[in-house]
Every structure is written in structure tokens, then in C-alpha cells.
Amino acid sequence: MKLFLTKSVQHLRTPLRKHGFDLCESEIYHFADGERGYRLKEQLLAESVGVIGSVLPDPQSLFDLMALHQVVRENGVEEPTLIVPYLGYARQDRPGRPGEGAIGLMVIEILQAIKSSHLILIDIHSDRIRKALQPTVRELSALPLFAKALSTYLPEVVVSPDAGYLSRARQLSGLFNPHLEVAFVEKERPRPNFAIARSLHGNVEGKTVIILDDIIDTGRTLVEAVKLVVRSGAKKVYLAATHAIFSGEARKRLSSLPVEGIFVTNTLPQIRSPKVRILDAALLIRNALQHLATLSA
Ligand code: R5P
């Protein structure tokens, strides 16, 4: 498949190429006032084409994705596949406090308005967003990558750092043979960007534990969860999270914890840092597109 990449996913060029994608070039030009224009640098025939880009905090990334998709459509590809490795704003799937809005659902409406043959996302943040995207979305999961990478360390328990991710922890547990035990932390957010782990439901005493989350932002959710499982007697702790934002001091915060390894994917750009192991989300995209191709053959 031919792929056009927005600026948000340039870090995936090498992995995508390695997995056999034919990467196409496009360019952005500017009007005097800063307005952006988008131009493909090659002609498209009737072929299978996708556009890949993440929705980052800067809304420009969403606009780039929509515009590049539109330009590809206008240049001969009726409904290009749309691949969104990281969907920002998904944490705003409901108003947090009076006077706020469900901005995440607004982003979903925008994505759905783009005419794509397939919309592919990786580890969607919440059921609310997942439901809002049905039936158009195909969701890929990093769980098989985590299971494969972590199986050599013989984990015994998967811990969700909050009640919301418990179903995913169960799914990860089911990828091991025999299945792992599952536990979860009762988390509170006294204010935005802070977390308190109140209590642990489940037994981790003397066990090797994976704490699984979808996002690492400030890292405070995982810091709290690690402290709690260590206090509860865990023998060894591994962390796994699909979308590693690592805002501010998050890397430092996490690398000073008593954990053996932090497994993340490259849905977002990553730099090498102590204990962090980066798994390749481009592999998930390749597998999904190969599967779709066999279905339509
Ligand atoms: C929350 O619902 C998410 O699943 C993550 O737990 C959260 O986004 C992590 O944020 P932070 O790293 O800032 O605690």
C-alpha cells in the first residue's frame, strides 16, 4: 500500500518502510498570511492508498490529516484508508467539570466526516470514544506486542492502574498461557494531572507484576500504582503503555522507580531513555492492512 504521512508521524517513516509500505511525498506551502496549502508530489493511479497521521494536542495535526486526506481524494483515490496511531483529545470523552465539553467526541465527529474506506486506530482511550466510532473503526491493540515482549520475564499478575482499564488488563492476561491473575488500583484524581492510588484490589505478594495503561502523560498514575504494588509485596514490576507522551518530568519520575522495564510503543515519537523499551506499532498497522487486503481479495 502507498502511504502519505502527515508531520505528526514522520518518526514512523523508517519502521513503515521496513514493513514494506511505499511512502509517498507531499508538501505544505504557505500563503503570506500563514495559511497552508497541501500538494502531492506524485500522481496516483487507481491503487490502494492510505493517509496516516496522529491527532496531537496542537489542532494543526488534525487539520493536516483532514487536508492531506482531502487532497489524496481529489487526486484520484476515492476513499483512502485513514490511519490514526494516536488519537489525542480522547481523554475528553465527557465534560470533566461543569462548563466543559466532550471535545473528544467532537474530534470523533470530524474524523467520521472524512470519507475513508477504513478508519484504523490503536488502543482507543475509552469505551465512550470506541462506541462513538462504531461501526466505522478498526481498532488495533498493542497488547500482543506487550505479551510477546514480556512473556520471557514470567509475569504472574496484570494490574490496571485504575478501574477504567481493567477490561484491557483482563485481555492482556488472556494472551498468556496460563492466563495471569488480574488486579486493579482504585485511583483518584484530586485535580488534573495528579493521581492518588487509594487501594489495590487483588494479590501481588511475592509476584512479578505488569502494570498496564493506555497512556503515560505525567507518569503520576503509574508512579502511584508502582508504589502501591511495591508496598503490597510485589517481587518485580514491569510497566506497559501504548501511547507514551512523557510530558515534562515524566521520564525522570518513572526511571527512578523500582521497576525492571517500561514497555511502550512508537505511536508517538520516542527517544531512548533508561529502562524504556520501544515496541513497533508499525507492525500492527502492517498486519491489519494485510488482513484487510486478504478480506477484499
Ligand atoms: C487515564 O484515564 C488514562 O488511562 C491514563 O491513566 C492517564 O492518562 C495517565 O496520565 P498520567 O500519566 O498523567 O497520570
Side-chain angles (χ1 to χ4, degrees):
M1 176 185 262
K2 289 195 162 192
L3 276 185
F4 285 92
L5 286 73
T6 69
K7 189 175 157 214
S8 63
V9 290
Q10 290 301 318
H11 65 285
L12 289 176
R13 286 192 90 85
T14 305
L16 287 168
R17 205 174 268 130
K18 188 180 108 196
H19 291 301
F21 288 103
D22 184 1
L23 304 188
C24 302
E25 300 302 323
S26 62
E27 64 184 353
I28 292 176
Y29 60 93
H30 294 91
F31 290 76
D33 63 354
E35 180 176 318
R36 291 151 86 91
Y38 298 79
R39 184 185 297 127
L40 307 186
K41 288 171 100 175
E42 55 191 278
Q43 271 198 329
L44 296 172
L45 305 168
E47 49 202 341
S48 158
V49 177
V51 175
I52 176 166
S54 284
V55 178
L56 301 180
D58 182 351
Q60 183 70 62
S61 57
L62 176 59
F63 191 87
D64 282 351
L65 188 58
M66 291 158 60
L68 189 56
H69 194 275
Q70 175 68 19
V71 173
V72 170
R73 279 183 69 207
E74 286 188 28
N75 282 271
V77 183
E78 215 174 305
E79 292 192 342
T81 297
L82 184 61
I83 305 153
V84 184
Y86 174 70
L87 177 69
Y89 295 91
R91 287 175 289 179
Q92 296 186 59
D93 58 357
R94 68 189 76 214
R97 284 171 295 187
E100 296 181 1
I103 302 304
L105 297 181
M106 180 197 80
V107 170
I108 296 304
E109 280 176 24
I110 294 170
L111 285 182
Q112 283 178 319
I114 302 176
K115 288 200 177 312
S116 53
S117 55
H118 299 285
L119 171 59
I120 297 176
L121 279 86
I122 301 178
D123 283 335
I124 297 169
H125 173 69
S126 75
D127 276 341
R128 225 175 147 84
I129 296 285
R130 195 170 287 117
K131 275 194 199 115
L133 279 163
Q134 297 300 347
T136 49
V137 74
R138 184 175 185 89
E139 182 179 5
L140 313 183
S141 173
L143 297 187
L145 298 180
F146 294 139
K148 190 166 175 225
L150 284 157
S151 59
T152 51
Y153 305 104
L154 307 177
E156 296 160 284
V157 188
V158 185
V159 177
S160 170
D162 53 34
Y165 219 51
L166 185 53
S167 60
R168 284 293 183 173
R170 289 202 180 102
Q171 283 174 25
L172 180 60
S173 140
L175 296 181
F176 289 85
N177 189 11
H179 294 186
L180 309 185
E181 288 171 42
V182 174
F184 76 97
V185 172
E186 240 174 71
K187 174 175 100 175
E188 250 178 52
R189 277 217 187 272
R191 59 186 189 278
N193 301 319
F194 280 86
I196 299 176
R198 286 284 175 215
S199 55
L200 179 69
H201 297 256
N203 178 21
V204 296
E205 174 114 45
K207 309 240 170 94
T208 297
V209 165
I210 304 168
I211 306 179
L212 173 74
D213 208 347
D214 61 336
I215 297 172
I216 299 175
D217 190 353
T218 64
R220 290 194 169 102
T221 295
L222 289 178
V223 168
E224 282 287 300
V226 169
K227 286 185 186 159
L228 183 56
V229 297
V230 169
R231 276 204 308 275
S232 307
K235 184 173 68 181
K236 282 186 179 169
V237 182
Y238 294 88
L239 305 181
T242 308
H243 307 294
I245 303 171
F246 288 131
S247 293
E249 298 284 290
R251 281 173 205 279
K252 211 163 125 197
R253 218 168 261 139
L254 291 169
S255 62
S256 62
L257 289 173
V259 298
E260 310 295 317
I262 304 168
F263 290 72
V264 302
T265 79
N266 57 358
T267 55
L268 293 164
Q270 297 300 318
I271 52 167
R272 289 187 185 280
S273 48
K275 298 189 186 174
V276 176
R277 174 128 169 245
I278 303 158
L279 307 179
D280 189 7
L283 178 65
L284 301 174
I285 296 168
R286 198 271 317 265
N287 292 347
L289 290 172
Q290 273 179 351
H291 182 61
L292 286 173
T294 52
L295 290 182
S296 61

